[in-house]
Amino acid sequence: MKVLDKYIIKEFLAPLGLVVLGISTLVLLVQAVDNLPRLRETGASNQLILLYYLTDFPFLVTQVIPIAMMLAALIALGSLARSSELTAARAGGVSAFRIALPILVVGLLLSLALFAVSETLVPKASYYSRYIKKVKIEKRDMNYDVAWRSNMAKSLSGDRQLFCKEYDSAAGVMREVIIITRKDGRIAERIDAERMVYEKASGWTLSDGVERIFDESGEEKALRNFSRWRVDIAEIPEDFMVDSDKREQDLLQLSMAELSDIIQVLKKTGASYRKELICLHLRVSYPLSCFILALLGVSLPFLFPFGRRAMAGAALGVLVALGCGMFYLVFIQVGISLGKSGNLPILLSAWLGNLVFLTVGAGALWKANR
């Protein structure tokens, strides 16, 4: 590594650490001011509340690092511009791309590190954060993600639909159950039962019900009453509790393996899984934004005044960087919304922000390098 590379990396890492810590702490304080009164109403101790915020902190850091990369790159090279070191380097024949290269390499390495942390530390820390809030602070049951459901409708394998009036997942009991089997688009069989109970050894068992068979014209051709009937349903009670009602922020705190498991369950139960699939792709695309936003950050100092007017150029660059950071987050949310609605392909919706800002950043660096 050349002396120039070491010097630029040293100038970059110091502001990066300060910006990450500063933005993360600021966001955490805003969240604390908003949530603390509600947490205090539960009677939770200060130690428990502090532990909740500490376990939530890793995910928060992963969200601000890409924006911090852009600001730190701008601050580092802006400082070199104010001291005329950028001018001296350019006069010595060093291109803008060569000056930016060390920061881009660090950005790429941080992208890989961010992906690794998001797959290992963040899911575990976020799990404990939710556990502390739901169980320790709010005094909910251990199965705080499992709720009582009413008027539930799910699709089953074998072109079947299940409806029930009430469902208790913890007990594995459904009441007022209807199972409809379709064949070539028509109803071929309908089962009505008072209860359906799950037992680990034997699976699902219907009780106190009636089975109706229909012919091709839709006329009832057979009827059978039963008191108990074991029905072939592959889904277990927890499968029926996985929905698409989780927020994107909650889904992004899961590992890719956990997201893949949720997607498989949603497929099996016939529920929509577009949002979950988008979040799965975002788990790859978002860490790469460290490199992409660093690419934009290293370009801005070359596009604004050097020398005596470097201070004004730095101030303008910071404003532009903050605006770009906000637009990047907006592009992510727009991509998710368009992907969920089906107006964009899932892969494109997850990578929309990166594609746009990669184009802008590469174009800015190309212009600065001319």
Side-chain angles (χ1 to χ4, degrees):
M1 186 182 295
K2 293 185 177 181
V3 175
L4 178 62
D5 295 333
K6 293 180 180 179
Y7 180 67
I8 292 175
I9 291 174
K10 180 182 177 181
E11 291 293 309
F12 168 70
L13 291 179
L16 176 63
L18 291 175
V19 172
V20 169
L21 184 61
I23 296 178
S24 301
T25 304
L26 179 62
V27 174
L28 191 65
L29 288 175
V30 171
Q31 291 181 349
V33 170
D34 184 45
N35 297 327
L36 193 57
R38 289 193 293 272
L39 297 177
R40 295 296 295 166
E41 287 175 0
T42 64
S45 64
N46 292 331
Q47 293 85 350
L48 204 56
I49 293 174
L50 179 61
L51 186 59
Y52 162 65
Y53 281 114
L54 285 177
T55 51
D56 192 47
F57 195 67
F59 174 70
L60 186 59
V61 171
T62 62
Q63 298 304 290
V64 304
I65 282 181
I67 307 298
M69 284 288 299
M70 180 171 56
L71 288 172
L74 179 64
I75 292 171
L77 295 186
S79 175
L80 297 180
R82 289 193 298 275
S83 60
S84 299
E85 290 173 281
L86 279 188
T87 304
R90 296 297 297 274
V94 182
S95 67
F97 175 77
R98 185 62 187 83
I99 294 172
L101 184 60
I103 296 178
L104 295 179
V105 171
V106 172
L108 185 59
L109 293 176
L110 278 179
S111 292
L112 298 175
L114 182 58
F115 177 78
V117 169
S118 298
E119 278 291 289
T120 54
L121 176 62
V122 169
K124 293 180 180 179
S126 297
Y127 170 81
Y128 284 115
S129 178
R130 290 192 298 271
Y131 173 81
I132 291 168
K133 182 180 179 182
K134 302 294 184 181
V135 178
K136 296 295 186 180
I137 296 178
E138 297 179 357
K139 305 296 190 297
R140 297 193 189 187
D141 186 80
M142 283 287 292
N143 297 319
Y144 56 86
D145 277 338
V146 177
W148 179 280
R149 302 235 167 142
S150 60
N151 299 315
M152 185 179 73
K154 294 288 184 180
S155 295
L156 305 175
S157 57
D159 202 9
R160 295 177 296 173
Q161 287 81 41
L162 179 146
F163 307 89
C164 71
K165 187 69 175 178
E166 296 176 346
Y167 176 44
D168 183 354
S169 174
V173 176
M174 297 185 189
R175 295 178 177 84
E176 298 185 36
V177 179
I178 300 173
I179 300 176
I180 293 175
T181 302
R182 297 182 182 275
K183 185 177 181 180
D184 299 328
R186 64 177 178 84
I187 297 178
E189 179 189 47
R190 170 171 171 156
I191 301 172
D192 294 74
E194 288 296 321
R195 287 162 55 90
M196 186 166 75
V197 180
Y198 180 79
E199 294 178 359
K200 193 172 183 180
S202 57
W204 293 98
T205 301
L206 295 163
S207 60
D208 302 323
V210 59
E211 176 196 26
R212 293 181 175 88
I213 306 295
F214 301 91
D215 60 22
E216 294 182 357
S217 63
E219 296 293 330
E220 183 180 297
K221 67 177 184 180
L223 183 146
R224 179 173 72 92
N225 293 296
F226 59 85
S227 58
R228 286 178 60 82
W229 184 13
R230 185 178 176 277
V231 63
D232 183 19
I233 295 178
E235 289 78 8
I236 61 175
E238 290 79 4
D239 290 344
F240 293 108
M241 301 307 298
V242 178
D243 311 281
S244 298
D245 58 2
K246 287 183 178 293
R247 300 177 304 166
E248 289 86 357
Q249 182 178 355
D250 296 326
L251 292 171
L252 290 173
Q253 295 178 39
L254 303 175
S255 67
M256 293 183 68
E258 291 170 325
L259 274 170
S260 297
D261 289 342
I262 290 176
I263 290 170
Q264 291 303 315
V265 170
L266 290 174
K267 284 182 179 180
K268 187 166 60 174
T269 57
S272 172
Y273 55 90
R274 290 187 66 89
K275 178 171 65 177
E276 286 73 15
L277 194 53
I278 292 169
C279 289
L280 181 64
H281 288 292
L282 275 172
R283 293 286 287 99
V284 179
S285 67
Y286 192 79
L288 192 58
S289 63
C290 286
F291 171 78
I292 291 172
L293 292 185
L295 180 63
L296 183 58
V298 296
S299 306
L300 293 176
F302 296 101
L303 303 180
F304 295 107
F306 286 23
R308 295 180 180 179
R309 295 191 297 161
M311 187 63 70
L316 183 59
V318 169
L319 291 176
V320 172
L322 290 173
C324 288
M326 293 178 62
F327 272 114
Y328 178 75
L329 297 177
V330 168
F331 266 100
I332 290 179
Q333 291 302 317
V334 169
I336 292 175
S337 298
L338 292 175
K340 287 193 300 183
S341 64
N343 293 317
L344 269 185
I346 288 175
L347 191 61
L348 180 59
S349 66
W351 288 84
L352 180 63
N354 282 8
L355 292 174
V356 171
F357 278 80
L358 178 62
T359 303
V360 172
L365 185 59
W366 175 79
K367 183 178 180 181
N369 199 54
R370 293 178 62 183

